[in-house]
Structure formats: structure tokens, C-alpha cells
Amino acid sequence: MGILEVSNVNKNFGGLKALHNVNLDIEEGTIHAIIGPNGAGKSTLLNCFIGKLVPDTGTVNFNGQSLLGIKPHQINQAGVSRVFQTPEIFMDLTVLDNVMISCFAKRDGAFSFNAWASVAQQTDIREKAEKMLEDVNMADKSKMLSGSLSRGDKRRLEMAMCLSQDPKLLLLDEPTAGMARADTNNTIELLADIHEKTKITKVVIEHDMHVVFSLAQKISVLAQGTVIAEDLPENIKGNAKVQEAYLGGAH
Amino acid sequence: MFTLAKNDKLLLVIVAFFTLLAPIILNPFPTESAMAQFNAGYPDLMQRFVIFGIFAVGFNILFGLTGYLSFGHAAFLGVGSYAAVWMFKLLSYNIVPAMILSVVIAGIFALIMGFICLRRSGIYFSILTLAFAQMSFAIAYSVLSNPSFNLTNGETGLQVYNDDPQYLKGDGPSTTHLFGLEMRETFTLDIGAWAFQFNVGYYICAIFLLVAFYIAIRIFRSPFGLMLKAIKTNQTRLNYTGLNSKPYTLFAFVISGMYAGLAGGLLASMDPLAGAERMQWTASGEVVLMTILGGAGTLVGPILGAGFIKYFENIFSKINDSVLHSWFSLLPDGLENAIVWVLHFFVGKGWHLTLGLLFMLVVIFLPGGLVDGGTRIYNWVRKPRNPEPAEEGAQASTDQ
């Protein structure tokens, strides 16, 4: 039994079938990549996991608990973190504050009226955040405004924010989109390194085949809203259906 | 328990210094001199400085910190005033029960208003608060002042009459007081050509301001305050980080409503009157101006902004044509008349024009308000002596 089970998910936008009977089973401790041509429904599927969209039919179960109809913060508190395609961080706050907010959310839950304590004196949170920034090689930037970071660093920060919460499942939406080759390689290394250390289950949506084949332990191929193949990376490369979908199938 | 970081402590001490010595600092010109009209050190105006300072500090917790622009905060000011005057009518002129009730009632009122208005954000939130405040104004102005149930006394405004019960009054004073210490009591100190007025009411307000300011510093530096800043920056990320933004915004709204209620209660304590016009949208807009002018999201900005606007309102509006003529009497007649004719539009009843121009200048050239201006001057003065590495720009500037 997988940590995330998606069965028979359908989602229509007007007349468009964005997702059609999607079934997925994500095994705990693996990196599972979801690939597919543009418009295949990858982001729609991810949005169904985090409460941004509600599927028309079907179920999404995380550790046996349904993720449908509950709010984003509840999904996060249950242990699902997400890294966005365009980094969603607190641009007006310092890098350290960004990570500390995540740590507070992990420690204090969805709401705590902690208006008398001083942030500066929360040493456990600060140390945890600083440690996390060291792990992603950003300790020297902790006092910078996160809005002034480079795109790669913003992504790194967002990952640090997600990881500091020790999630059970990490969703990464195109973690290397718009990055230069060097940055992409750094990100791959970072992700592989993190996976080595923490074994957090990861679902990666990606365009870049280089990234997919360097990281993924299992790949699902989505085309026109359906899963057309699900296999180990070495078998996907030779799959005829996949080649057709990418290289001139029915568009 | 009550400790602050070094910078914040310094800031609190500076604010305390200026508020406690305001009767001297704001009276730089001798009483008989021509410049005396620029003196602001008289009790009535100084009370307004600090009361509206409290109002703006509270508003800043919602607007500056959380990023929710409320156009209806004057409703809480009015509610606080009404609550306080009712305490004077029913109990006695002692301001303690009045202050407590005004804060509590404003808090409850803010809870209801916040619960409804916070369902939306951005411009929709602003419009909802505006609508709510205008409804409150209309209700206070007419609905709640009919002969069978007169809560607000409508157009005349709520005030204390001789036949009011005042159950606890006994032999107590017939003006507002704090356990016998009358608010209007003023001690005048004559030094040479100067006359400094130390007023009890002002000092009571000043103490309230310092306490309110101290609480604001605590909130700014707390994990709760950090979450409010995070809401202002990126609410999506906050939700996906596992935090529920709704109760945070609601608490911020209620806290700032209570600050406004406190300010309203103080206004009534200084002068036991409460009128519906205190709730009007112009009053709500004024606190927005104060906060932006001083520097939204900074600690002292709102107090500076409140002082600035109240100073202009009271001092510039006093200058009339004959005063202008006396200033420029040395110039040739034609030129004098021309200058007076131009300036005429900016003083007296036209003081709003001056304020509007200043507001535009500040918003265009100093988006961070007066505090931003102060920081720039400070940096500019300091820089040549010990040049900082260029990295400074990228570092987060700490809000003062």
C-alpha cells in the first residue's frame, strides 16, 4: 500500500477532460516522477493533491486519510508540503524568517496566538532554521531579503521551508523550470542528497528529461489526462506509447 | 517577561522622552512673540496628538503589519466614545470603567465586523469595512436615537445631563477624573517669556500611549506578528505552510479595533461628548493618511503621522489673511498682496490643500513615509564618515 493513493480521478473544465480516470500509487520513500507533454494534466493532478482543486469524481488518499475537501493548511499539517513552479516565498521577509515561519507552523500548529513572546528568544526554532539553511548551503544568506535572491536560491529556500517541516510527502512542481544548466545540476544534486538523508517520499513533476532520469525511481507518464504508462525509468525510455505521446501522437 | 531588544528599548525610551516632555518641546516660542501661533504645547492639541497616535498605532497593526486596508476604523473610535459616555452617564465621571467598557465594546464590535469583512481581502475588504462603518454611522445618527430607545442621541451627540443617574458619583467631581484627579486640571509653569502647560488629561493619555506603544512593539516582535507580516507578503505560501490565515487576520482586526476603542474612550474622557460624526468615513480616511504619512508597517511612523496631521489641522487652519499680511509686510504692497493671495488658498480653511500636497510629496518621494525620510537622512549623514560595503542595500532594513 502506497503513501498516496489516487484512484479514478476525473476532472473536467467545461467540456475539456483535464483528468480522465487517473490512478496512481506512490510508494513510501521513493522519488516518483510524473511526466508528460504540455497540457497533459500534470499540474491539475498536483492541485488535486493539495486542496487547490477538487476532482469531480475519484479519491485521493494520503496515509489512508482523504485529502479531498480539506483546506490547504490542513493538508500541510497532515504532512504534505509543496514546492511551487514559481517560487512562493515571503519576499519581504529575510531568508531566516521564511524558514522560521515554517518551523513555527510545524511546532505550534495552524494557529497560535503567540503575541507576547519574542521571536528572537525562540532559540529552538532559530537553531532549527539555521541548521536547515546550512543543509541547503544558504547559511551565508540568512539575513538577506528573500525577494532579492536569485531564482535558484528562491527555489532552494522554498525547499528548505518545506523540508524544515519534516513532511511525509513532498510535492515538487517543476523544480528546475527556468533554471540555467548549472543551477539545474545543483538542484538535482541537492534533491538526491536530501533523499539520501531523509528518504522523504517525493512526487516530482518535470519537463526536463535529464532531471527525471537522474532522480526518479519510478515514472508515470500522463498524456491527455490519462496515465499511459507507469514503470521504472529504464523501461519508460523504450516504451512505444510514451514515444508516440511525445513525438507526434494525437494532438 | 517585559524585556525588549536593545533597539526597541531605545525606541520606547525616545518616545517616552518626547511624549513626557511634549509640553516643553512643543512650546519653543515665547508666548508674546509672533511665532507663538506655531506653538502646539497646549493641552487640547497635545491630547489629540497622543489619542490619535494610539488610534494610528492600532490601525498600523492591521494595515501596516497584516496588509489589510480598513476604511471603517472610525466606527470603533465612535463606539468607544459612546461606551465611555454611557459609563459617565450611568456610573460616575471616573474614567476607569469608561476606558474598560470602551475597549471591550469596541473589541466585540470588531469581532463581528471582522468576522464578516475578513471573508474577502484586498479592495473588497476595504469596501466592506467602509460599508460597515457608514452603516454604523447611519445607525448612530438616526436609528438608535428615537424617543423610545435613545442610545446615541443622534445629531446632538451623547452627553452627560444633570438628571442622569450617575449611581456611583456621590460627592465626586463633576468633570471627568481618575479617582479624583481631574482631567482638565492644568499646572502652568512660567519661565521668562514662556508658559508651559502641564495638563493631567494629557499625561493620562500619554501613559496610555506608552503602554499601547509597548504592546505594539511586543506584537511586532512576536511569532504572531511575524505571521501577520507573512500574511501581508504571501498569503498563498502561508496557507501551504500549514497556517490558517483567518484567525490571524481576525485577531489583528480585533486588536486594532480595541486600540481604536481605547482612543475613542480617551477622546470622551477628555471631553465627555460623543457624536456620530466621529464614525464618518472622513475620520476613517484620516487614520489611513496618518499611517501612510508616518510610515505604514513601522513602529513610530503612525505616531509621527498622527502628530503631523493634527498639527496641520490645528495650526495651519488658524492662519488667516491678516496673519499672512503681517508676515510679508516688509515686501512692496503689490508683491505682498500677490503672495498673500496665493498662500490664502493653503491656510485657514484651505489647510486640506497643504495636507494633500504634502501627502502627495511623501507618497511619491518617500514611499516609506516620514520614518523612511528620517532613515534616509540618517544614512546620508552617516555615510561619508564610515563608508559601508555596498552589500548593505541587500540586507533587510530593520523597521524602527
Side-chain angles (χ1 to χ4, degrees):
Chain A
M1 197 181 117
I3 190 167
L4 184 73
E5 289 177 325
V6 180
S7 57
N8 289 321
V9 165
N10 284 286
K11 179 77 194 172
N12 294 340
F13 294 114
L16 179 78
K17 272 191 178 171
L19 295 175
H20 182 66
N21 282 338
V22 173
N23 289 294
L24 271 181
D25 196 4
I26 314 284
E27 247 172 83
E28 193 162 356
T30 58
I31 300 185
H32 194 125
I34 300 176
I35 62 169
N38 280 330
K42 303 184 296 290
S43 293
T44 310
L45 186 61
L46 207 58
N47 285 338
C48 288
F49 298 166
I50 54 154
K52 207 172 175 183
L53 287 176
V54 180
D56 299 333
T57 60
T59 55
V60 178
N61 286 336
F62 170 69
N63 266 346
Q65 178 198 357
S66 173
L67 291 185
L68 301 184
I70 64 173
K71 299 240 167 62
H73 67 265
Q74 293 167 318
I75 292 178
N76 175 283
Q77 291 287 350
V80 183
S81 277
R82 175 174 179 177
V83 176
F84 285 81
Q85 195 170 345
T86 35
E88 292 276 1
I89 52 174
F90 304 112
M91 303 273 191
D92 295 345
L93 301 179
T94 63
V95 169
L96 186 65
D97 280 347
N98 269 270
V99 186
M100 281 173 79
I101 287 171
S102 287
C103 298
F104 276 121
K106 175 74 182 170
R107 193 189 71 177
D108 300 339
F111 174 72
S112 84
F113 184 59
N114 204 354
W116 200 252
S118 155
V119 173
Q121 284 163 4
Q122 311 282 313
T123 35
D124 56 327
I125 296 276
R126 174 178 292 270
E127 277 162 14
K128 192 177 166 191
E130 277 168 352
K131 170 87 182 36
M132 197 64 239
L133 284 174
E134 255 168 49
D135 285 355
V136 296
N137 300 324
M138 285 183 72
D140 53 327
K141 293 175 178 131
S142 72
K143 290 222 158 49
M144 275 175 78
L145 273 188
S146 64
S148 62
L149 293 174
S150 73
R151 199 187 160 105
D153 278 345
K154 279 180 186 161
R155 175 95 54 191
R156 222 171 246 271
L157 170 61
E158 201 185 12
M159 238 177 272
M161 290 167 72
C162 289
L163 289 170
S164 67
Q165 301 191 311
D166 306 315
K168 298 191 190 89
L169 174 65
L170 182 61
L171 307 173
L172 299 134
D173 192 353
E174 307 208 13
T176 63
M179 275 189 189
R181 197 84 232 174
D183 260 349
T184 305
N185 287 334
N186 281 340
T187 311
I188 294 173
E189 263 172 50
L190 178 70
L191 279 171
D193 191 39
I194 289 166
H195 196 72
E196 191 81 3
K197 279 187 208 152
T198 61
K199 293 287 175 206
I200 295 170
T201 317
K202 295 177 187 64
V203 174
V204 186
I205 285 188
E206 191 50 80
H207 258 123
D208 191 332
M209 289 306 133
H210 171 59
V211 178
V212 172
F213 287 105
S214 356
L215 283 174
Q217 290 151 357
K218 203 164 188 191
I219 298 178
S220 296
V221 185
L222 212 58
Q224 293 183 310
T226 27
V227 179
I228 57 168
E230 184 175 311
D231 218 329
L232 299 174
E234 50 270 30
N235 300 340
I236 287 287
K237 276 182 190 166
N239 189 311
K241 269 199 208 161
V242 177
Q243 285 172 348
E244 190 196 0
Y246 266 93
L247 299 173
H251 270 285
Chain B
M1 178 85 196
F2 294 101
T3 52
L4 290 176
K6 214 173 102 197
N7 281 345
D8 296 335
K9 217 178 274 172
L10 185 68
L11 192 66
L12 186 64
V13 169
I14 291 172
V15 170
F17 176 81
F18 280 103
T19 35
L20 296 180
L21 293 184
I24 298 170
I25 295 164
L26 293 177
N27 251 356
F29 307 111
T31 324
E32 295 303 317
S33 70
M35 296 298 279
Q37 58 192 318
F38 289 107
N39 281 343
Y42 54 93
D44 188 47
L45 182 56
M46 288 193 302
Q47 286 165 6
R48 276 170 189 278
F49 284 168
V50 286
I51 291 173
F52 282 91
I54 293 172
F55 188 22
V57 165
F59 183 75
N60 189 40
I61 290 175
L62 182 69
F63 174 54
L65 217 51
T66 323
Y68 277 71
L69 176 56
S70 160
F71 265 115
H73 252 54
F76 307 125
L77 195 72
V79 166
S81 293
Y82 281 124
V85 177
W86 267 111
M87 282 285 104
F88 298 144
K89 283 166 86 77
L90 292 175
L91 301 178
S92 74
Y93 274 117
N94 194 334
I95 65 166
V96 172
M99 297 312 303
I100 293 172
L101 192 75
S102 55
V103 173
V104 170
I105 295 282
I108 293 170
F109 197 66
L111 190 68
I112 299 166
M113 184 163 156
F115 186 77
I116 296 168
C117 298
L118 286 167
R119 298 181 163 267
R120 291 285 170 272
S121 60
I123 186 83
Y124 302 103
F125 168 79
S126 305
I127 297 293
L128 279 174
T129 51
L130 178 62
F132 222 107
Q134 281 304 88
M135 266 159 37
S136 310
F137 166 70
I139 288 170
Y141 196 77
S142 54
V143 182
L144 289 179
S145 76
N146 52 54
S148 59
F149 182 71
N150 194 349
L151 192 68
T152 59
N153 209 16
E155 216 173 321
T156 328
L158 195 64
Q159 47 189 294
V160 186
Y161 296 109
N162 286 333
D163 57 348
D164 281 328
Q166 297 198 295
Y167 294 112
L168 299 179
K169 190 181 172 214
D171 301 330
S174 306
T175 58
T176 50
H177 64 91
L178 179 74
F179 302 112
L181 200 58
E182 287 184 24
M183 292 299 126
R184 65 179 175 192
E185 218 166 275
T186 304
F187 164 72
T188 307
L189 179 70
D190 289 299
I191 300 178
W194 286 270
F196 302 116
Q197 294 171 302
F198 299 92
N199 170 261
V200 172
Y202 169 72
Y203 278 100
I204 299 283
C205 293
I207 289 165
F208 271 109
L209 173 74
L210 292 177
V211 173
F213 186 59
Y214 171 73
I215 294 174
I217 297 179
R218 294 295 303 219
I219 292 176
F220 263 68
R221 302 293 181 236
S222 71
F224 176 75
L226 184 62
M227 299 308 163
L228 297 184
K229 285 179 205 162
I231 288 175
K232 183 182 183 180
T233 315
N234 190 341
Q235 217 176 120
T236 316
R237 178 30 90 193
L238 194 81
N239 288 332
Y240 289 111
T241 305
L243 291 153
N244 189 358
S245 53
K246 283 237 169 83
Y248 281 103
T249 48
L250 187 60
F251 267 76
F253 195 84
V254 171
I255 290 170
S256 73
M258 286 163 83
Y259 269 82
L262 177 73
L266 279 173
L267 276 179
S269 297
M270 296 305 117
D271 181 13
L273 267 177
E277 76 288 339
R278 219 164 257 177
M279 291 180 148
Q280 222 170 353
W281 66 272
T282 45
S284 297
E286 199 180 51
V287 74
V288 180
L289 289 190
M290 287 171 181
T291 312
I292 294 178
L293 198 64
T298 61
L299 278 166
V300 283
I303 302 178
L304 289 179
F308 199 76
I309 288 186
K310 285 295 155 190
Y311 183 82
F312 271 81
E313 183 184 282
N314 286 276
I315 304 297
F316 265 66
S317 59
K318 272 196 309 199
I319 301 168
N320 54 28
D321 281 8
S322 62
V323 175
L324 286 177
H325 276 291
S326 71
W327 286 355
F328 298 104
S329 54
L330 287 177
L331 297 171
D333 266 0
L335 189 61
E336 178 190 331
N337 286 337
I339 290 176
V340 170
W341 182 80
V342 171
L343 290 181
H344 165 83
F345 295 103
F346 293 90
V347 295
K349 278 181 187 154
W351 75 273
H352 276 112
L353 202 56
T354 319
L355 182 66
L357 284 173
L358 281 169
F359 186 74
M360 286 200 291
L361 288 176
V362 166
V363 170
I364 293 169
F365 295 107
L366 291 174
L370 298 174
V371 169
D372 186 21
T375 322
R376 284 189 200 192
I377 291 171
Y378 177 76
N379 288 342
W380 183 74
V381 170
R382 214 183 52 159
K383 219 159 210 172
R385 266 174 261 162
N386 49 334
E388 298 266 322
E391 203 186 325
E392 200 190 26
Q395 301 266 333
S397 64
T398 49
D399 37 12
Q400 339 232 312

